[in-house]
Amino acid sequence: MTFTPPRPLDGVVYRWTSCTPNPTAEARAVVRRTLSGLGLPGETVSDAVLVVSEFVANAAEYAYGPYEVRIRRSPAEIICEVSDGHPVIPHFPTLPTASPFEPNPQDRGGGLNALCALLAERGRGLHIVDQLSRGAWGFRSSRGTKTAWAAWPITGVGARECDG
């Protein structure tokens, strides 16, 4: 696959369908190349790659296509978006109120149940998104699609326009 970021940077960088093998890994690679090419700090690139990875995995598992990853740049921030064809508002994921990293205080049995709950692989994604985006994320619905988005400020140091 030949990768060329859109010019100006305000568009789709990756599309996939329900038949695409491993869209999460491909999206990670495309987002990393795109954001690294803009000269953004490594931490911002890594955080955005992980957030987009979570959004893509959730879209692929819980929604239906078509699917798209977009990256937009404003003067103040980089915005990464993942859209799917499931616009129904009740299907917007929500951040669970209890952190999956903390044992449930009502689990008086402790021991194995508490350890299993602590190490559970499911239910941590939006907490990770929230931490890595410093709370600058959300969902919106329009024209038959649902879009998950997250934004990171551009510090100006090292960031440059994409030459395409």
Side-chain angles (χ1 to χ4, degrees):
M1 175 178 134
T2 302
F3 171 75
T4 304
R7 186 181 173 157
L9 186 62
D10 192 18
V12 176
V13 295
Y14 180 63
R15 287 187 173 101
W16 80 98
T17 70
S18 58
C19 296
T20 302
N22 204 358
T24 306
E26 186 68 24
R28 278 193 302 264
V30 169
V31 169
R32 182 170 304 283
R33 282 192 307 260
T34 302
L35 297 180
S36 294
L38 294 175
L40 296 172
E43 182 178 342
T44 300
V45 172
S46 293
D47 290 352
V49 166
L50 287 173
V51 167
V52 168
S53 179
E54 181 62 30
F55 287 159
V56 168
N58 284 347
E61 183 172 351
Y62 298 112
Y64 49 85
Y67 308 97
E68 294 181 338
V69 176
R70 282 184 304 284
I71 298 177
R72 296 186 299 119
R73 181 180 178 159
S74 77
E77 61 192 1
I78 289 289
I79 302 132
C80 296
E81 302 174 330
V82 176
S83 296
D84 62 56
H86 203 290
V88 182
I89 292 178
H91 292 280
F92 279 176
T94 58
L95 187 64
T97 56
S99 170
F101 299 107
E102 299 172 10
N104 182 348
Q106 295 179 2
D107 182 6
R108 301 201 189 281
L112 184 58
N113 288 342
L115 179 60
C116 288
L118 182 65
L119 298 176
E121 286 296 319
R122 316 248 333 135
R124 296 186 292 192
L126 292 181
H127 286 285
I128 292 169
V129 166
D130 192 57
Q131 289 295 310
L132 294 177
S133 68
R134 291 156 189 83
W137 66 279
F139 295 92
R140 69 177 180 278
S141 178
S142 72
R143 292 179 288 204
T145 64
K146 175 179 74 246
T147 299
W149 62 270
W152 290 267
I154 297 174
T155 60
V157 177
R160 62 184 182 270
E161 289 296 326
C162 178
D163 294 331

